[in-house]
Amino acid sequence: MRKNFLVFGSPCIGQEEIDEVVDTMRSGWLGTGPKTHRLEKEFARYLGVKNSVAVNSCTAALHLSMLASGIGPGDEVIVPDLTFCATVNAVIHTGVRPVFADIKIPDMTISPDEILRLITPRTKAIIPVHLYGNPVDMDPIREITDRHGLMIIDDAAHAIEAIYKNRKMGHLGDITCFSFYITKNMTTVEGGMVTSENEEWIDKIKIYALHGMSKDAWSRFSDKGYKHYQVVMPGYKYNMTDLQSSIGLHQLKKLETNLLRRQEIWKMYDDELKDLPLELPSIGRKENRHALHLYAIRVKKESPLDRDELMNALFLKNIGTGVHYTALHLHPYYSQAYGYKQGDFPASEMVGDTTLSIPLSAALTDEDVWDVIKALRECLK
Ligand SMILES: Cc1ncc(COP(=O)(O)O)c(C=O)c1O
């Protein structure tokens, strides 16, 4: 058995990130400034989009996307039932009613049939989530939103590197939101980014993200001399700092090589776990690129252990795992606030009850990966 605990979702941090953080610490400027602006430019270049705004989380990115595009109280936004709670909480923060939709299997992403069933005159937007890094099949969704005059706000928290039919993230929805949380494919510890081709929304997001002020701190205090600012709306404190961006600048450069490493780990799991009573994740359609964020395995009925028993058995063997996710409508807040109950979204419930994610990070050594494989084989033999 391995000696130390293998943490689920450990980040892959190198000397470059450490040196850049130290450089920022010594520079005299730690807040939002030149390094954050560089990260915004380089992130936009990576995706081939015009605009990107750095914020302090994907939750903030989602919240500001709705505010800037004029979605508000009285409106409804359709969200998948199988996602992280932040997708839905951001809708609620905006004063909007989230309408849950079931997923389709094997994609695990929002079902277009469900979207059609749930559209009302109050519906303003859909938030597709590219779950586990698998790009959502967007063409059928775009066809529906065009027909009904709805917006698409993409939750690409898992999927920076994903490609759908030759289109990178940022080119699918009207606004796209990214997460740089610690477990994500690229991290700034906490952080996020919004991209959109709509300049008016982008300008509003920049202002909303920093107190509603007409100028950010760097443009007020930089060597170009002090500038007055005006508060043009009651904004939020959602800005990213240069200290965080120092990590992000190097994480961004390593996205593609880290993806290659996760590809190797994914293949080792595919090869070594295929004879176990597990449904292994699919990398989706050939024409797309999966961002390989989470290797989520479904425990089959014939398994000697159910999902929770397996997680516990792996924990006792020093292997950390995660659940992505429990069907959202079963959480007390959402079921009480919106009247959802067991049985409302069968596909999402089934995945939520039987799936666990095993470690998949470019930081893992081959030895770590073999420890996971051996532990799973021992538990399920
Ligand atoms: C699908 C999804 N959306 C949104 C978020 C929120 O991201 P953040 O933690 O950056 O706010 C997460 C974070 O885990 C996520 O997994």
Side-chain angles (χ1 to χ4, degrees):
M1 187 177 107
R2 32 178 312 127
K3 286 204 184 67
N4 60 332
F5 186 66
L6 183 62
V7 179
F8 179 84
S10 53
C12 191
I13 301 291
Q15 193 57 44
E16 300 83 357
E17 284 87 340
I18 295 167
D19 291 344
E20 194 75 45
V21 167
V22 172
D23 177 72
T24 307
M25 298 281 276
R26 295 205 164 113
S27 73
W29 188 264
L30 275 64
T32 308
K35 290 196 182 178
T36 302
H37 295 152
R38 215 167 89 210
L39 180 63
E40 289 173 333
K41 280 210 182 76
E42 290 182 13
F43 192 82
R45 193 175 320 131
Y46 173 79
L47 293 177
V49 297
K50 262 204 280 183
N51 313 296
S52 66
V53 185
V55 285
N56 62 6
S57 70
C58 181
T59 312
L62 288 161
H63 184 201
L64 296 187
S65 298
M66 283 176 269
L67 288 177
S69 58
I71 297 174
D75 296 336
E76 291 176 356
V77 169
I78 300 176
V79 289
D81 186 51
L82 195 75
T83 179
F84 186 54
C85 59
T87 314
V88 171
N89 290 347
V91 176
I92 300 170
H93 296 160
T94 320
V96 170
R97 185 190 169 99
V99 176
F100 291 46
D102 209 348
I103 53 158
K104 69 176 173 140
I105 291 176
D107 304 22
M108 312 295 184
T109 52
I110 194 164
S111 150
D113 291 342
E114 278 282 276
I115 295 175
L116 277 175
R117 180 175 76 81
L118 296 164
I119 287 174
T120 73
R122 289 180 296 282
T123 310
K124 284 286 165 353
I126 316 291
I127 307 187
V129 178
H130 304 274
L131 200 75
Y132 307 153
N134 187 26
V136 174
D137 188 13
M138 289 298 263
D139 286 347
I141 294 178
R142 183 49 94 183
E143 195 265 317
I144 296 170
T145 54
D146 281 352
R147 196 147 34 92
H148 291 266
L150 308 175
M151 269 183 66
I152 296 179
I153 299 174
D154 254 332
D155 181 337
H158 296 184
I160 305 173
E161 313 91 324
I163 299 176
Y164 174 72
K165 296 185 179 172
N166 274 326
R167 280 175 279 161
K168 288 186 169 183
M169 290 292 125
H171 297 266
L172 306 175
D174 299 292
I175 305 190
T176 309
C177 302
F178 299 88
S179 173
F180 305 149
Y181 178 63
I182 320 157
T183 58
K184 297 295 190 273
N185 292 353
M186 120 170 207
T187 187
T188 57
V189 186
E190 297 284 359
M193 195 72 82
V194 196
T195 66
S196 176
E197 298 305 281
N198 186 314
E199 309 272 349
E200 190 192 321
W201 295 344
I202 286 290
D203 288 346
K204 277 194 188 159
I205 288 170
K206 281 183 189 159
I207 292 172
Y208 266 126
L210 195 67
H211 304 297
M213 297 190 319
S214 57
K215 293 215 165 22
D216 70 23
W218 178 246
S219 52
R220 283 183 281 126
F221 295 119
S222 78
D223 52 8
K224 297 203 171 65
Y226 185 85
K227 306 246 176 12
H228 288 293
Y229 65 87
Q230 291 179 315
V231 176
V232 293
M233 54 176 84
Y236 297 82
K237 190 75 205 296
Y238 283 167
N239 56 308
M240 184 184 282
T241 66
D242 272 17
L243 203 56
Q244 292 165 298
S245 300
S246 310
I247 305 172
L249 283 166
H250 294 279
Q251 290 277 293
L252 179 62
K253 282 190 199 139
K254 296 175 185 174
L255 267 183
E256 293 291 320
T257 44
N258 284 347
L259 177 64
L260 290 177
R261 174 60 186 150
R262 292 199 306 281
Q263 236 162 31
E264 287 172 4
I265 299 169
W266 193 283
K267 183 164 184 326
M268 286 168 81
Y269 285 152
D270 276 354
D271 290 346
E272 302 299 330
L273 304 176
K274 61 177 183 284
D275 59 327
L276 296 180
L278 299 170
E279 181 87 37
L280 302 183
S282 141
I283 58 154
R285 286 155 236 254
K286 266 219 181 89
E287 70 266 28
N288 296 340
R289 178 164 87 165
H290 194 301
L292 308 183
H293 175 52
L294 291 169
Y295 195 92
I297 55 180
R298 192 139 39 100
V299 180
K300 288 184 178 168
K301 279 205 182 78
E302 60 266 33
S303 161
L305 302 180
D306 69 18
R307 191 270 310 275
D308 288 357
E309 289 166 344
L310 180 57
M311 289 181 78
N312 199 34
L314 290 169
F315 171 73
L316 295 174
K317 291 180 181 295
N318 268 338
I319 306 292
T321 56
V323 171
H324 302 91
Y325 296 93
T326 301
L328 276 186
H329 71 286
L330 299 178
H331 286 280
Y333 177 78
Y334 309 113
S335 63
Q336 281 156 26
Y338 305 111
Y340 291 122
K341 56 185 187 320
Q342 184 85 37
D344 282 348
F345 304 104
S348 168
E349 286 174 21
M350 188 278 286
V351 175
D353 288 347
T354 56
T355 302
L356 69 145
S357 306
I358 57 177
L360 176 70
S361 156
L364 299 183
T365 62
D366 278 2
E367 214 182 341
D368 294 329
V369 181
W370 278 111
D371 285 341
V372 178
I373 292 167
K374 275 186 265 166
L376 270 164
R377 299 196 70 81
E378 283 164 17
C379 292
L380 296 174
K381 70 175 179 269

